[in-house]
Amino acid sequence: MAAVEAGPVPATSAPEDAARDAPEAAGAGLEAPLLPAGNRLSLHLYPGGCRRLLRLCAQQAPQLLEVDFLQLSGHEDPQLLEAALARLCWSLPHLRSLVLKGGQRRDALGACLRGSLTTLPASLSGLAHLAHLDLSFNSLETLPACVPQMCGLDALLLSRNCLSELPAALGALPSLTFLAVTHNRLRTLPPALGALSSLQRLDLSGNLLEALPPEIGGLGSLAELNLASNRLQSLPGSFAGLRALRLCILHSNLLASVPASLARLPLLTRLDLRDNQLRDVPPELLDAPFVRLQGNPLGRPPPDPLSPPGTPMVPEMPRLLLTSDLDSFAVTPQGCSVTLACGVRLQFPAGATAAPVTIRYRLWLPEPRLVPLGPHDALLSGVLELQPHGEVGLWLLFVPPRARRCREVVVRTLSDDSWSDLETHLEEEAPQVGAARAVWEGPALLRPAGPDRVLLRPRQRLWAHCQVPHFSWFLVVSRPVSDACLVPPEGALLCSSGHAGVRVTFPAGATEEPRHVRMQVVHVGRRELPALLGEPEAAASPLLCLSQSGPSSFLRPVTVQLPLPPGITGLSLDRSCLHLLHRAAPAATWDDITTQVALELTHLYARFQVTRFSWYWLWYTTKTCVGGLARKAWERLRLHRVNLIALQRRRDPEQVLLQCLPRNKVDATLRRLLERYRGPEPSDTVEMFEGEKFFAAFERGIDIDADRPDCVEGRVCFVFYSHLKNLKEVYVTTALDRRARAVRGQVSFYRGEVPEVVPEEAEAARQKRGTAALWMATLPIKLPRLRGCEGPAWGAGLSLAPLNLGDAETGFLTQSNLLNVARRLGPDWPAVALHLGLPYRELQRIRHEFRDDLDGQIRHMLFSWAERQAGQPGAVGRLVQALEQSDRRDVAEEVRAVLELGRRKYQEGLQHTSLAPRNLASPDRSPSPSLEPAQT
């Protein structure tokens, strides 16, 4: 293993000028990377990898002549990246593999972000030995002209770019065996693609292809072809020429027919035609065991071409797939199926609207005062708002987690200032039944379906779907299974569908008018009660909740039947140990009413009569005073065991991730996060209720660096929901001097809403036991010492003209806000400046004027741009867009949070002065001032 020392780059040519003009503070003191065995040089994990490479090239180290693999990050500064690539031909002449992938950075949801690479220098065509080129996850809109000139190229990866076409010159690569152009914007393919006689694997999935050129049949060596998720309506007959084809993936297209010649390809072992528009399939394919046909309308009759004149043709329903940057879509009288970026699917049937209408949607984070949950409910989604509010018919489909035993999933909607449950169906995607067989992916249960049919039921995705009569706010909850009936004066019997043996008998005359009655049964684990009471023989029946509409009591006693606790029978029990407990809302106490009712026991059940509905629970224990114990046991049923984590981003320690995780998800989450974050071990396990509020307070010199809608007096507010992420990322700062030494602070988590005074650590430590304690955990936070900072602190002594960028309704960015933005940018500021529309000549002037001051470069660029935008509409939106286009979505989210806070204060000011109505259903207002926009 040889080490190469980095030296200064002489300013003798344009590439070196770009490297010299780039900020030198970030590169000061960097050690050159070691060249590992195998002649691989991986610089994508190093900050300033391009600068390191330029230093190595300037040294003309002999070890570079042996390098045959180089990987750089696509998120580098564009000028530095161009300068580094221009040196490869001379410095790494034996390079065989070049990887310039983006995707190392991720957004708030963990999705990979594109790199800034838009082109390649022409000199790269001189890499005579280059066989592998990976440009995935970048911003290429056209293929660089040097790529088709790399005659020795064996593998070319262009996935996750912005390519709308491929050049015909690509067919001149005689050695190309693997081509991947997935998830781009390709609409057509060049006929010259068929000249790639050596091509063995071709992946074009996730594009906009509507047809294939006939020349594709000339790919005689092609063994694997992936065209999934396009818009193909037919396949050319030349497919029969793909004699070497083994794997053909065509699912999620619009194919109405396929040629029968596909079945005669001699080496074909898998043909995936799922989710197309195939109504009829050639018998050769239908009988083939390697063909997958699920999701096709097989056997459905096509529109009759001989229908009487004047018969209206029913067109296929359009399908829309929205990305995260779209918040509206159009619906016509024809109807459509829309899949939102959050995973919700909307289906508008034909005739749902008489005229075209634009639908707006927004996903909100839930808040307890807006989203009331029952004692045993669990929230499964955020709050989806559909506008304009009104009467529109559609089907709404969510994808919730699988419901646990004895629980069900329901969709709730806000109507007339109250939430109500919609009739919800939880179903798997319907399997198809083929004439001979239907083959499914994944584990499956085989069931006979007739003499010539086989039905395979795989593990499929569950959909919670319901019919929605209006536009409003919607969410999904999991609750104990609910059974309901309408009790007439003649009497009725209500049985639980989740627990055999739980039933309620209404005698004739129990009510004068029909009334609705609802029953919920909560499952109780066998181990929970013995562990709480310290009594191995203790047991409890399911927990029964009864509610009704109408008068509070019945005219005649109603008989309730509960199963005896597990392991207890009516022949062997000690009646003195059997307790019937009762809880009447809104009281939080449980009362032992065993002596107040007549318990009738059978071998398996206990029956008793009541005239009022409430909660009922049957216990078997030797304890005498069980009321207080029942309250604790009921709380334990609703508690979740969680751990708290606080991690700092490796490349930016001032960015802190805070999250509350159920205990069973901690290990998997940390394995995923620790590639980009580091920090202390998770906290000890604590217990929290669904919908419980808590907050994080930074202490010992650490403070939050920006105003946020969810931040009160420097403390970040949370609400715990067991099925949601409970995650927030914040920027922190300190008033202490980091030039002398690192700042060692901490973040503490407390229950409840933010109080005026947070207890001191010593006081909090005394209250660390129990769910009633305020303090939950404290984790260390360290801000490292600032190196190379001899001058005053960042931003100290600035003399900048005061300004307010934006307007009152969309939100202002003040001078302080812009300074916070400037602090975040670092070496990425040139990309932001170019996306803001600054000419490259002005960037060069700023670099020269502040050539020894990176902070001055950033401040001058940002404030000079902001001053020119004074009074112009849309300036803040352009800044947010430029930040996102420069892969600084973290800063863009901070700006959005500031704007949201400003808009909220503006609306509250209008309400305070009675200038705006307090209409919850107004399309232009959020459902509640306490709501936050969900991160996308």
Side-chain angles (χ1 to χ4, degrees):
M1 185 179 299
V4 182
E5 294 183 359
V9 183
T12 58
S13 63
E16 284 79 1
D17 287 342
R20 180 199 60 198
D21 291 338
E24 296 181 0
L30 290 179
E31 296 181 0
L34 300 179
L35 296 183
N39 300 327
R40 298 169 63 90
L41 185 56
S42 299
L43 298 176
H44 63 294
L45 298 178
Y46 289 86
C50 285
R51 183 178 293 104
R52 288 171 176 256
L53 180 60
L54 285 169
R55 291 175 182 268
L56 294 177
C57 294
Q59 289 283 341
Q60 298 182 358
Q63 293 88 345
L64 290 181
L65 299 177
E66 303 175 3
V67 172
D68 58 14
F69 175 89
L70 172 65
Q71 182 166 2
L72 292 169
S73 171
H75 297 285
E76 294 276 358
D77 178 86
Q79 283 73 35
L80 276 178
L81 186 58
E82 182 181 358
L85 294 178
R87 296 293 302 268
L88 295 186
C89 237
W90 298 277
S91 301
L92 287 79
H94 298 96
L95 194 65
R96 291 186 52 82
S97 179
L98 177 59
V99 179
L100 300 172
K101 291 176 60 175
Q104 287 86 11
R105 296 178 182 176
R106 296 178 180 267
D107 61 15
L109 297 180
C112 296
L113 298 175
R114 300 184 191 273
S116 57
L117 186 68
T118 57
T119 187
L120 294 177
S123 60
L124 285 187
S125 60
L127 292 173
H129 300 281
L130 192 66
H132 174 265
L133 179 61
D134 188 350
L135 305 175
S136 305
F137 281 101
N138 278 293
S139 304
L140 298 174
E141 296 184 358
T142 58
L143 189 66
C146 63
V147 174
Q149 301 175 20
M150 300 175 179
C151 298
L153 211 56
D154 176 80
L156 177 59
L157 291 80
L158 301 168
S159 299
R160 304 280 181 176
N161 277 278
C162 307
L163 298 171
S164 56
E165 61 179 359
L166 295 176
L170 196 63
L173 295 175
S175 303
L176 195 65
T177 63
F178 176 46
L179 176 61
V181 201
T182 69
H183 296 90
N184 278 267
R185 303 170 184 174
L186 300 179
R187 295 184 178 274
T188 60
L189 295 177
L193 196 67
L196 297 173
S197 57
S198 300
L199 194 64
Q200 299 176 14
R201 292 189 294 162
L202 177 60
D203 192 348
L204 299 171
S205 59
N207 281 282
L208 306 174
L209 297 173
E210 298 181 355
L212 299 175
E215 289 80 3
I216 198 172
L219 299 175
S221 303
L222 193 65
E224 298 180 9
L225 175 62
N226 191 342
L227 293 166
S229 301
N230 278 279
R231 299 178 180 179
L232 297 175
Q233 301 181 27
S234 62
L235 299 177
S238 61
F239 251 60
L242 303 176
R243 308 296 292 176
L245 196 62
R246 297 177 180 271
L247 175 65
C248 185
I249 309 297
L250 293 166
H251 69 75
S252 305
N253 277 280
L254 302 175
L255 293 173
S257 63
V258 292
S261 58
L262 286 177
R264 295 190 288 272
L265 294 177
L267 301 180
L268 193 62
T269 59
R270 179 180 173 187
L271 176 59
D272 192 341
L273 295 169
R274 294 173 299 157
D275 297 320
N276 277 279
Q277 302 297 322
L278 297 173
R279 300 180 185 273
D280 190 18
V281 177
E284 300 94 326
L285 291 177
L286 196 60
D287 295 332
F290 55 81
V291 181
R292 292 181 168 92
L293 293 168
Q294 292 72 38
N296 285 282
L298 295 176
R300 300 181 191 174
D304 187 2
L306 301 179
S307 57
T311 302
M313 297 291 293
V314 180
E316 294 288 340
M317 179 177 291
R319 294 183 296 179
L320 299 177
L321 180 61
L322 303 186
T323 59
S324 58
D325 55 348
L326 297 177
D327 60 358
S328 65
F329 55 91
V331 177
T332 67
Q334 180 183 352
C336 64
S337 174
V338 183
T339 302
L340 306 182
C342 59
V344 178
R345 184 182 297 175
L346 312 174
Q347 291 186 356
F348 295 84
T353 177
V357 61
T358 297
I359 306 300
R360 300 185 300 276
Y361 74 92
R362 192 169 186 179
L363 192 65
W364 299 89
L365 289 178
E367 201 275 338
R369 287 175 293 181
L370 176 74
V371 185
L373 296 175
H376 297 276
D377 291 350
L379 188 66
L380 301 183
S381 73
V383 181
L384 174 67
E385 180 187 7
L386 295 176
Q387 298 179 358
H389 299 171
E391 302 294 330
V392 178
L394 78 153
W395 284 91
L396 185 63
L397 296 94
F398 289 83
V399 189
R402 288 183 176 270
R404 294 181 298 169
R405 178 191 173 195
C406 305
R407 296 186 70 84
E408 62 184 356
V409 175
V410 296
V411 177
R412 287 182 180 168
T413 183
L414 182 64
S415 179
D416 297 329
D417 296 335
S418 64
W419 290 90
S420 59
D421 294 344
L422 299 174
E423 183 179 353
T424 307
H425 304 277
L426 190 64
E427 296 181 0
E428 294 178 347
E429 293 175 334
Q432 302 288 329
V433 181
R437 63 172 62 90
V439 183
W440 292 73
E441 285 188 87
L445 175 65
L446 185 65
R447 294 183 179 177
D452 297 324
R453 299 189 176 192
V454 174
L455 177 64
L456 292 177
R457 296 189 59 83
R459 296 177 183 174
Q460 299 215 61
R461 183 167 54 179
L462 290 175
W463 287 95
H465 63 90
C466 63
Q467 191 169 9
V468 176
H470 62 274
F471 275 6
S472 181
W473 289 274
F474 305 91
L475 54 86
V476 187
V477 299
S478 168
R479 70 180 187 188
V481 172
S482 178
D483 299 283
C485 72
L486 182 66
V487 179
E490 294 79 16
L493 175 65
L494 177 60
C495 300
S496 171
S497 58
H499 290 264
V502 179
R503 60 177 59 187
V504 181
T505 304
F506 300 90
T511 178
E512 293 181 347
E513 299 291 337
R515 67 175 73 180
H516 291 275
V517 175
R518 184 176 298 273
M519 166 198 298
Q520 280 186 308
V521 182
V522 180
H523 175 72
V524 179
R526 291 194 174 193
R527 300 178 182 178
E528 295 177 359
L529 192 60
L532 175 66
L533 301 182
E535 182 182 354
E537 295 79 15
S541 72
L543 181 60
L544 175 64
C545 176
L546 297 172
S547 59
Q548 62 169 324
S549 63
S552 59
S553 61
F554 289 92
L555 299 180
R556 296 186 58 187
V558 174
T559 302
V560 179
Q561 175 179 293
L562 283 176
L564 291 173
I568 308 299
T569 64
L571 301 178
S572 60
L573 64 78
D574 182 354
R575 291 187 69 105
S576 64
C577 297
L578 192 65
H579 302 269
L580 179 62
L581 303 173
H582 161 270
R583 177 182 181 273
T589 59
W590 287 83
D591 300 322
D592 188 348
I593 60 171
T594 309
T595 59
Q596 303 175 26
V597 298
L599 277 176
E600 176 188 349
L601 302 180
T602 68
H603 182 62
L604 298 176
Y605 304 107
R607 299 189 182 97
F608 55 92
Q609 292 186 333
V610 296
T611 57
R612 294 174 179 268
F613 276 0
S614 181
W615 296 75
Y616 296 97
W617 207 356
L618 204 57
W619 276 33
Y620 190 80
T621 176
T622 57
K623 307 289 184 180
T624 54
C625 300
V626 296
L629 296 174
R631 180 181 58 82
K632 294 181 180 179
W634 186 59
E635 286 185 353
R636 187 172 293 270
L637 287 177
R638 299 156 47 223
L639 284 171
H640 299 270
R641 295 177 177 268
V642 302
N643 298 92
L644 300 155
I645 63 175
L647 303 176
Q648 294 173 261
R649 188 177 287 272
R650 293 181 181 272
R651 292 190 176 185
D652 186 3
E654 294 180 349
Q655 187 174 355
V656 181
L657 180 147
L658 306 173
Q659 189 169 12
C660 177
L661 286 166
R663 187 172 57 177
N664 61 332
K665 298 181 180 179
V666 171
D667 292 339
T669 302
L670 288 180
R671 283 195 298 269
R672 176 175 54 85
L673 290 176
L674 288 180
E675 295 181 0
R676 296 171 290 128
Y677 296 86
R678 59 186 170 192
E681 292 292 321
S683 71
D684 294 337
T685 301
V686 297
E687 295 179 331
M688 300 191 72
F689 293 103
E690 184 83 6
E692 182 176 354
K693 287 187 175 184
F694 65 102
F695 64 93
F698 290 90
E699 301 164 340
R700 292 190 174 181
I702 305 292
D703 198 3
I704 298 177
D705 195 20
D707 290 334
R708 298 166 53 103
D710 57 352
C711 182
V712 180
E713 298 296 331
R715 296 151 192 168
V716 185
C717 306
F718 289 82
V719 182
F720 171 73
Y721 293 104
S722 56
H723 290 281
L724 302 186
K725 285 191 173 182
N726 308 300
L727 177 148
K728 293 183 181 181
E729 289 194 72
V730 299
Y731 280 94
V732 297
T733 185
T734 179
L736 303 178
D737 187 3
R738 292 173 57 190
R739 293 171 296 174
R741 61 175 180 269
V743 176
R744 300 181 183 274
Q746 64 187 25
V747 57
S748 295
F749 296 88
Y750 300 90
R751 298 182 188 275
E753 298 188 22
V754 178
E756 294 184 1
V757 178
V758 177
E760 295 295 332
E761 182 184 5
E763 179 184 350
R766 291 194 295 267
Q767 303 178 5
K768 62 186 301 182
R769 298 295 179 186
T771 58
L774 179 65
W775 175 85
M776 293 190 294
T778 295
L779 299 173
I781 297 291
K782 176 183 176 182
L783 294 181
R785 176 176 172 266
L786 294 178
R787 301 183 183 276
C789 297
E790 303 298 336
W794 207 102
L798 286 179
S799 178
L800 298 172
L803 57 86
N804 281 325
L805 192 65
D807 55 72
E809 294 192 10
T810 60
F812 282 113
L813 289 182
T814 65
Q815 176 184 353
S816 176
N817 301 141
L818 288 177
L819 280 174
N820 285 331
V821 172
R823 289 187 58 189
R824 309 271 189 261
L825 293 184
D828 295 331
W829 75 267
V832 177
L834 292 174
H835 285 115
L836 286 173
L838 272 69
Y840 185 74
R841 183 175 300 176
E842 184 172 351
L843 264 67
Q844 294 291 78
R845 180 187 61 79
I846 295 175
R847 281 172 167 159
H848 178 74
E849 185 177 349
F850 299 89
R851 50 187 172 273
D852 297 325
D853 183 7
L854 173 61
D855 298 340
Q857 295 174 8
I858 302 172
R859 291 195 301 267
H860 186 83
M861 179 278 296
L862 191 59
F863 276 85
S864 61
W865 173 83
E867 289 172 0
R868 290 195 296 268
Q869 305 301 312
Q872 296 187 19
V876 175
R878 288 193 292 274
L879 176 60
V880 173
Q881 183 179 8
L883 292 169
E884 291 181 334
Q885 292 173 343
S886 306
D887 290 329
R888 293 308 305 264
R889 187 167 299 223
D890 53 337
V891 185
E893 292 299 333
E894 285 285 325
V895 174
R896 286 198 180 96
V898 172
L899 296 176
E900 183 67 23
L901 181 64
R903 282 194 294 267
R904 181 174 304 166
K905 291 180 178 179
Y906 176 73
Q907 294 290 347
E908 291 175 352
L910 290 180
Q911 290 183 356
H912 181 70
T913 55
S914 301
L915 296 178
R918 299 178 180 269
N919 184 7
L920 182 65
S922 172
D924 298 323
R925 286 184 47 78
S926 61
S928 169
S930 55
L931 280 178
E932 307 166 28
Q935 302 295 324
T936 58

